[in-house]
């Protein structure tokens, strides 16, 4: 579903991604961990067209991100084509970024109505089902300010799912939550995983990585240091940098 080959990204003189090679299979729960500043968010943002890579190849579901290849030449995709690629990718951030003036159900319906031109009735019906799926069937008409952080994050997940993405990106989705609210969000993510969603999850929740993850990549200073099955990497890290990181988060 995702293939990254020698991906580099710099911001001015700051070299952030220094040749990322990895592959995410369909239906895989792929956990990305590493210290702050190692480039995890930047990598997710490159997949979702929020940043442009400087070198290498990045593809989602067999399509190059942002480019079309003809022969050995690359052509930048037009805005409309980029939008089409982005529609298939859902992203959930640390901060939930819900529209404050819209209810939960309106937040979830917004993109299908505005972007996909779905009818309001159909979009609302699906939005209610999605909110039910994330355990918020009784909160459809609440405004974000009337919801806890964990509930808001679950609305944000439902909103991403409303576009029927083939890939979900989670960037530390529980890091801004009070500890007692983390579990309800991880439970929703676990459910998604069981339903076969392909997900890349940046997280410090090693319990989640161990129980739900199919693979884990430890990234540091813009490179993949170590990767493998979570139980293997978490119980038996090979590299000093991985050991040192894990000793801090476990
Ligand atoms: P992580 O998510 O692993 O904490 P980030 O991808 O957010 O790491 O950041 C990696 C590095 O890239 C940091 O040094 C950060 O300051 C830098 N960086 C990220 N975004 C930008 C930007 N838009 N402009 C300049 N530097 C950036
Ligand atoms: Mg980050």
């Amino acid at each position: 579903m995702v293939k990254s080959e020698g991906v580099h990204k710099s911001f001015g003189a700051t070299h952030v991604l220094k040749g990322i090679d990895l592959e995410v299979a369909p239906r895989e729960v792929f956990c990305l961990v590493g210290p702050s500043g190692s480039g995890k968010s930047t990598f997710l943002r490159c997949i979702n067209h929020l940043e442009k890579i400087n070198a290498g190849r990045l593809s989602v579901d067999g399509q190059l991100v942002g480019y079309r290849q003809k022969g050995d030449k690359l052509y930048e995709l037009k805005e409309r084509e980029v939008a089409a690629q982005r529609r298939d990718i859902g992203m959930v951030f640390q901060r939930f970024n819900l529209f404050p003036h819209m209810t939960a159900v309106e937040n979830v319906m917004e993109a299908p109505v505005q972007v996909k031109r779905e009818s309001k009735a159909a979009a609302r019906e699906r939005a209610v089902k999605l909110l039910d799926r994330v355990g918020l069937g009784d909160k459809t008409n609440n405004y974000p300010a009337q919801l806890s952080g964990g509930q808001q994050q679950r609305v944000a997940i439902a909103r991403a799912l409303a576009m029927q993405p083939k890939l979900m990106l989670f960037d530390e989705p529980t890091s801004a939550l009070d500890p007692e609210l983390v579990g309800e969000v991880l439970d929703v993510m676990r459910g998604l995983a069981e339903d076969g969603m392909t997900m890349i999850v940046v997280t410090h929740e090693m319990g989640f990585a161990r129980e739900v993850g199919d693979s884990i990549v430890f990234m540091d200073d813009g490179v993949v240091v170590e990767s493998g099955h979570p139980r293997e990497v978490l119980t038996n890290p090979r590299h000093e940098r991985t050991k040192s990181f894990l000793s801090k988060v476990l």
Side-chain angles (χ1 to χ4, degrees):
M1 184 59 77
V2 178
K3 191 167 185 184
S4 175
E5 300 163 276
V7 164
H8 287 258
K9 174 67 187 174
S10 298
F11 297 101
T14 315
H15 197 178
V16 175
L17 300 179
K18 302 172 179 170
I20 300 292
D21 294 304
L22 56 81
E23 279 186 49
V24 181
R27 306 173 70 86
E28 188 173 15
V29 178
F30 187 95
C31 297
L32 189 53
V33 305
S36 177
S38 56
K40 306 178 301 293
S41 295
T42 300
F43 183 66
L44 290 191
R45 292 169 60 83
C46 289
I47 296 175
N48 202 20
H49 301 264
L50 296 170
E51 304 290 352
K52 256 188 191 169
I53 67 174
N54 301 117
R57 289 168 69 90
L58 186 58
S59 57
V60 173
D61 200 18
Q63 284 189 315
L64 282 178
V65 174
Y67 295 91
R68 184 201 328 282
Q69 184 162 18
K70 263 192 196 160
D72 43 7
K73 278 209 176 131
L74 289 184
Y75 298 89
E76 271 192 46
L77 295 182
K78 298 193 174 65
E79 209 176 311
R80 185 171 42 80
E81 299 166 305
V82 168
Q85 284 191 340
R86 290 197 66 190
R87 271 205 287 280
D88 287 337
I89 302 172
M91 188 151 177
V92 175
F93 301 88
Q94 186 172 340
R95 294 253 153 237
F96 338 116
N97 307 318
L98 298 176
F99 301 115
H101 59 290
M102 293 182 186
T103 63
V105 72
E106 286 166 352
N107 265 281
V108 178
M109 314 163 41
E110 178 69 6
V113 170
Q114 296 301 329
V115 180
K116 282 194 173 166
R117 301 283 165 209
E118 267 182 39
S119 78
K120 280 200 175 168
R124 180 178 291 271
E125 197 180 313
R126 254 181 354 97
V128 168
K129 280 194 188 132
L130 283 167
L131 285 169
D132 204 38
R133 181 168 168 200
V134 300
L136 294 173
D138 57 340
K139 304 282 185 206
T140 54
N141 293 318
N142 284 41
Y143 286 90
Q146 300 168 320
L147 297 169
S148 73
Q151 291 169 337
Q152 289 183 55
Q153 191 61 303
R154 286 186 280 147
V155 175
I157 294 172
R159 183 175 59 173
L161 293 175
M163 292 297 279
Q164 297 171 294
K166 52 189 173 195
L167 170 67
M168 285 283 287
L169 308 175
F170 291 89
D171 195 355
E172 300 197 30
T174 59
S175 295
L177 298 178
D178 291 335
E180 73 273 21
L181 304 178
V182 167
E184 64 192 55
V185 172
L186 294 179
D187 284 345
V188 166
M189 293 168 63
R190 184 176 290 123
L192 268 183
E194 281 163 7
D195 290 345
M197 176 61 78
T198 310
M199 347 195 334
I200 304 182
V201 183
V202 174
T203 186
H204 295 298
E205 296 292 334
M206 296 303 144
F208 177 87
R210 188 194 305 264
E211 286 157 32
V212 184
D214 297 300
S215 50
I216 191 167
V217 156
F218 173 68
M219 199 166 144
D220 192 10
D221 197 21
V223 299
V224 171
V225 173
E226 183 160 358
S227 62
H229 193 277
R231 271 190 297 276
E232 182 71 32
V233 173
L234 292 175
T235 41
N236 210 355
R238 290 167 196 279
H239 292 263
E240 273 318 311
R241 283 195 278 175
T242 319
K243 285 179 194 168
S244 151
F245 173 76
L246 290 177
S247 72
K248 287 173 200 146
V249 296
L250 280 178

